Amino acid sequence: MYHLLLIGSDRDYQIWVTQDATPLLRKAIITYKTLPGSPQYTAILSDWNFNPSITADTFTFQPGSESIGIELLPARDNQSQP
């Protein structure tokens, strides 16, 4: 297993990657150095599936029965506004 440490000014990143023929990300830790107490976010990754069965309707938006539409304002040119 490879363990990589990436150091930034605001955050540090640690990642663990397998040494298999197909390297897989197994663990990631992000340390937020500028927040009080330097909290960390940890993700453990497993059960990779490289042949998922996903149908096209998985990505089709289907609003709920009580959803309502809202009017969107057109984008304005910020260059001409103070």
Side-chain angles (χ1 to χ4, degrees), residues 25-38:
L25 178 61
R26 298 307 303 250
K27 182 177 181 179
I29 298 176
I30 303 170
T31 304
Y32 298 91
K33 300 191 296 188
T34 58
L35 295 176
S38 298

Side-chain angles (χ1 to χ4, degrees), residues 1-3 5 9 11 13-14 16-18 23 25 28 31-32 34 46 50 57-58 61 64 75 80-81:
M1 181 106 37
Y2 294 109
H3 177 208
L5 172 62
S9 58
R11 292 178 203 90
Y13 304 90
Q14 296 180 62
W16 284 259
V17 180
T18 64
L25 178 61
T31 304
Y32 298 91
T34 58
S46 63
F50 294 104
D57 63 334
T58 299
F61 176 67
S80 62
Q81 301 295 320

